[in-house]
Amino acid sequence: MKNLPNLLPSTRREFLRFSAKGIGLLAFTHYAPSFLVSSARAQIPAPGRDQPILVLVQLAGGNDGLNTVIPYADDHYHRLRPTLGIKEANVLKLDEHAGFNPACAGLHRLAQDGKLAILQNVGYPNPDRSHFRSTDIWETGSASDQYLTTGFIGRYFDNSCAGAPANADPLGVHLTAEVPETFFAEKDHATFGLSDRGGRRQRQQNLALLEKILHRPAGDDENANAGYLRHTMMDALVTEQKVQRVIADYRAGAEYPHTPFAQELRNVASLIAGGFSTRVYFVSLGSFDTHVNQFDRQNKLLQTLGDGLAAFQKDLAAHRLEENVLAMTFSEFGRRPMENDGKGTDHGTSAPLFIMGSRVKGGLHGAAPNLNLARNQDLTYGIDFRQVYATVIDRWLQGNSTAVLGQKYAPLDFIA
Amino acid sequence: MKLDYSPEQAWQPLPAAAWDAAAARHLLRRAGWSASPDEVTRVLRDGLAPTLDRLFPRQPAAMPVPKSVADFRSEAADYRRKIRQAPREQRRDLKRDFQQQARDALGDLTLVWMQFSLHPDRAAYEKWVSFLGNVYVVSANKVRDPAMLYEHQALLRAGGTGPAPKLTKGVLRSPAMIQYLDLQQNRLGAPNENFGRELMELFTLGVGHYTENDVKQGSRAFTGYRQRDGAFEFAPRQHDGSAKTFLGHTGHFDGDQAIDVIYQQPAAGTRLPALMARFYLSDEPLPDPHLAALGDWWRATGFDLHQLCLRWFSSRLFFDPQFRGIAIKSPQQYYLGLLQDLGLDLAPLPRRVLPALRQMGQPLYTPPNVRGWVGGREWINSATLDARRALVGVLFTPLNENRLNADEQRALARARAAGVTGFSFTDDRFKKLLPLTDAEVTTALCDFLLPVHVAPDYRAAITQFLAQGDAARRLARIRNAAITLLGSPEYQLC
């Protein structure tokens, strides 16, 4: 075997330099127009570090909004929630009507610091109570009777980020096993999955072997498609290496809880601080599908959520990155106002949504839900989630919400 | 592309001396999904001609209608009437339920087809049906009726062994096509040219072999062909029966006669073979004289599709070594080939199967546009490659049955009762490799799974990997080597 470096080149530039020296990979240059194009572009600076970044936080399974932001002054709440209801004395108050579940200390602190906007009663017309279909609706930004094959973030990429240099960092990074539907786009954009829950060591071993397989001189008889595949995979692995290195070298400016969710946010922070030009990160926390014995389960999840987000925000502040980042939660639906016989709640409709960042207008936005409801009746939304998207796209990501969402939605006032 | 033989020689049968294991693997991977050792042994024993008779039967098996598709078909007309008559508020809910039912049935159709085509005896013909579906394209994005999509595919399956003009005439009456290419709106005095144009541009002739005027004139012949509730209807009063001059012929053509006129064009003989070359052989087009030679012969058979398949897949040109191991697998082939290579069954779980296809870039029945999937390098980018590697990981991970919902548990129980059980790969399947040396295991994995002869250092890397660590973990190392190999660039080829 020839004397090859053991590891992949750690940057695109190094990769090119290796190649220029004729080591290893470049036996396939005969096919490589896209590669040469991107090397010509390597001189173009990556999109600036100061571009706004969005972190999407999915609360998978349908978070019960009424036991997250508690309308403690509303008698109907206590009527509908005889066992699950939270007593006024325990509520972390936001104003004289509403306050947080005591498990949301992290979120409450963020709100007190003016870094958390609480959008009340967010939903959409003719809500769908299927987990999968409603998740589709939220991720694509469609109407409830409309089926879209692209996500609202994907369309934002199509619309505002096309033509990014081919050697730039991925536009979207997801910390989930599957590519989130919201990243699906018409055009090709680099996205990257960073999922290391479980099997990490094995994955590392396999990666090392894959690298060896990739990183060898191409035979003279290697066909053009084989070269193309090798190059594309190499490219993906170079990104993976860079990501792993940035994460390993990161010194966080805050103590993160030892939950997988918080560790994922730590990884997001490390990539942001590492200067990745990625515009959107996608993190998921679940499962909020609390049909029985909701109380402890949801409390634990809410605490994980609040403590994780609080640590993330503190970390960003320590790295002076607060101004660049906005985080937004969403869940496919809220849950039914009336608790069920199993001390749980069934699939419902609207719920509060949180926007976190140093540039938000903190506190409650929109009207509290009307709880004067009959048995098993559902909430009617006050804010359409596409209004929230439109505001984030136009006022934060500097995109064009009409193009992304297909129509104009009345903006909201939660960004300072 | 450089071919060492004349256009006439190209389509002669492969000389018997050249029929060997490598040729057999090439045939099995290109005509079907994979080349498992058992199948290779079988076709070598049977010989090329009998194998092709088996893979491309004159009377191919019909695929059963998935139950949800049948239910949809029997309820669709009723549903549509209900929606029309319902008050506005209710209409939306009804429509949504209806659409959801359609989507669920479409998912079932995908699963049932994959299951059906996984069988080695059916793989080649069902791949041919896929090819025809990528020529006579319809898409679930516009045709939201899984029963129509099923019928369209059934039409291609039944007609895929007969004369091409007859199949095209069938497609003219396919409710899915009528809806997809707006034939419904093609009326006397107000022609909609969508069908007429795509028929010539994509299905039969190709750009440059007809004029704008041919599109205008020809489209008049296709007026009055429509569907109602998924059934074909001819509306004589919407049909333009007056004289047209079309592709150099003048007459009172109806749709069938117009199609006959199209098949008199020389380009009709080469269009489908050119598309076959792209689908089955190479991204690079075949030389015109070679295509023309096949086209002339094919025309003389009356455009017989069955004979075309037999000739194509037994030809010297098809087996030319320069075409071996150079094609990029489609996601559909990657998925089905993986299952065959690993000896697995398809899990009857839409949530596991459908997202993988979508993430690899090929949600079945939903091609991006009327041109169909372009294929080749278009399949590959860092996200789709990652999705392919993720699928390998999924197939090596036991099902987490606690996370299945009630429908899925039922589907799984039904499948198990029917003896379909192997949904993920377990280490013990590698046990027969344990007695082998590391180098022998490497050879077994590479020769069995990879379509290309890999260089010595590729093999050396795997052998070294297998040699690391303690003996107790050897099975796990073999598994990990296989996982890596199945995700490697070489396995993406066929």
Side-chain angles (χ1 to χ4, degrees), chain A residues 1 4 31 33 125-130 132-133 136-137 144-149 174 177-181 184 188-193 201-203 205-207 209-214 216-217 219 221-226 228-230 232-237 240, chain B residues 89 92-93 95-96 99-100 103 141 144 283 324-328 351-352 355-356 358-359 366 376-378 380-383 385-390 405 408 452-455 457-458 460-462 464-465 468 473 477 479-481 483-485 487-490 492-493:
Chain A
M1 231 171 124
L4 291 171
Y31 82 87
N126 306 298
D128 194 298
R129 289 165 190 78
S130 147
F132 310 109
R133 176 58 192 148
D136 283 349
I137 290 167
S144 76
D145 59 355
Q146 185 188 18
Y147 291 85
L148 297 177
T149 51
H174 57 97
E178 291 176 349
V179 185
E181 192 171 3
F184 290 8
D188 264 355
H189 308 284
T191 60
F192 185 77
R201 194 160 143 243
Q202 175 196 315
R203 192 169 156 81
Q205 280 180 3
N206 290 353
L207 270 182
L209 177 56
L210 189 57
E211 281 162 17
K212 265 207 181 131
I213 287 173
L214 290 168
R216 63 193 160 78
D221 57 343
E222 181 169 83
N223 72 65
N225 280 341
Y228 174 78
L229 281 158
R230 208 135 76 89
T232 309
M233 194 168 279
M234 186 91 192
D235 225 22
L237 293 192
E240 181 145 355
Chain B
E89 273 309 293
R92 229 192 244 123
D93 284 351
K95 236 169 141 175
R96 194 179 58 205
Q99 283 180 357
Q100 187 58 47
R103 280 162 62 96
N141 278 338
R144 298 213 177 141
D283 301 339
R324 298 190 192 176
I326 61 156
I328 293 176
R351 276 202 292 149
R352 172 163 150 143
R358 196 168 55 173
Q359 289 174 5
T366 315
R377 289 191 199 173
E378 300 265 323
I380 301 299
N381 58 49
S382 58
L385 269 181
D386 203 46
R388 288 178 181 219
R389 285 175 59 214
N405 65 32
E408 292 167 331
V452 285
H453 186 75
V454 287
D457 51 357
Y458 184 110
I462 293 178
Q464 259 177 30
F465 177 85
Q468 292 157 4
R473 305 263 309 145
R477 284 198 301 279
R479 177 190 58 206
N480 287 343
I483 289 174
T484 306
L485 194 141
S488 77
E490 287 73 10
Q492 317 304 317
L493 295 165

Side-chain angles (χ1 to χ4, degrees), chain B residues 114-237:
Chain B
M114 287 178 78
Q115 189 74 63
F116 185 72
S117 65
L118 193 53
H119 193 288
D121 285 349
R122 288 192 290 260
Y125 193 74
E126 288 303 315
K127 190 177 188 177
W128 173 248
V129 173
S130 277
F131 162 70
L132 292 174
N134 208 42
V135 176
Y136 297 100
V137 169
V138 296
S139 168
N141 278 338
K142 186 160 173 181
V143 184
R144 298 213 177 141
D145 183 323
M148 284 190 200
L149 297 169
Y150 169 84
E151 292 298 344
H152 185 77
Q153 192 183 50
L155 170 79
L156 301 178
R157 183 176 293 115
T161 68
K166 187 176 168 208
L167 178 62
T168 306
K169 289 170 192 173
V171 166
L172 167 64
R173 291 165 174 76
S174 164
M177 183 62 82
I178 288 170
Q179 196 171 60
Y180 184 61
L181 290 184
D182 306 313
L183 264 176
Q184 200 81 353
Q185 279 73 43
N186 189 15
R187 287 189 294 264
L188 174 67
N192 183 306
E193 296 168 5
N194 201 2
F195 177 80
R197 179 183 306 279
E198 306 305 6
L199 171 66
M200 286 184 273
E201 177 181 336
L202 298 169
F203 306 166
T204 56
L205 298 177
V207 169
H209 299 289
Y210 58 90
T211 65
E212 271 306 295
N213 196 45
D214 293 328
V215 172
K216 290 200 175 91
Q217 296 287 311
S219 293
R220 290 168 48 210
F222 303 115
T223 46
Y225 291 78
R226 49 199 51 213
Q227 61 91 17
R228 183 189 301 197
D229 286 332
F232 171 70
E233 274 185 355
F234 183 69
R237 278 191 296 185

Side-chain angles (χ1 to χ4, degrees), chain B residues 404-469:
Chain B
L404 301 181
N405 65 32
D407 281 347
E408 292 167 331
Q409 308 251 15
R410 267 196 300 277
L412 206 59
R414 261 200 313 276
R416 285 191 172 133
V420 181
T421 51
F423 306 121
S424 43
F425 197 89
T426 49
D427 279 1
D428 54 312
R429 299 208 190 197
F430 281 128
K431 275 197 178 138
K432 61 176 185 237
L433 296 180
L434 274 179
L436 305 181
T437 66
D438 293 332
E440 286 166 347
V441 172
T442 302
T443 302
L445 292 176
C446 291
D447 293 355
F448 168 24
L449 296 169
L450 299 178
V452 285
H453 186 75
V454 287
D457 51 357
Y458 184 110
R459 289 168 190 265
I462 293 178
T463 309
Q464 259 177 30
F465 177 85
L466 291 172
Q468 292 157 4

Side-chain angles (χ1 to χ4, degrees), chain A residues 79-108:
Chain A
R79 168 177 65 85
L80 292 161
R81 298 281 171 100
T83 66
L84 282 182
I86 291 174
K87 304 269 178 298
E88 177 175 349
N90 298 330
V91 168
L92 305 171
K93 288 185 183 147
L94 291 159
D95 66 8
E96 57 277 21
H97 304 289
F100 269 120
N101 180 316
C104 298
L107 294 174
H108 190 239

Side-chain angles (χ1 to χ4, degrees), chain A residues 113-130:
Chain A
D113 292 349
K115 293 179 178 176
L116 189 75
I118 301 147
L119 278 49
Q120 302 195 79
N121 203 24
V122 184
Y124 56 91
N126 306 298
D128 194 298
R129 289 165 190 78
S130 147

Side-chain angles (χ1 to χ4, degrees), chain B residues 350-405:
Chain B
R351 276 202 292 149
R352 172 163 150 143
V353 178
L354 305 181
L357 283 169
R358 196 168 55 173
Q359 289 174 5
M360 294 190 293
Q362 197 178 21
L364 302 187
Y365 304 99
T366 315
N369 55 48
V370 64
R371 190 170 58 154
W373 282 292
V374 175
R377 289 191 199 173
E378 300 265 323
W379 292 128
I380 301 299
N381 58 49
S382 58
T384 55
L385 269 181
D386 203 46
R388 288 178 181 219
R389 285 175 59 214
L391 174 63
V392 175
V394 165
L395 295 180
F396 275 84
T397 310
L399 272 182
N400 184 345
E401 297 191 27
N402 295 328
R403 299 200 55 181
L404 301 181
N405 65 32

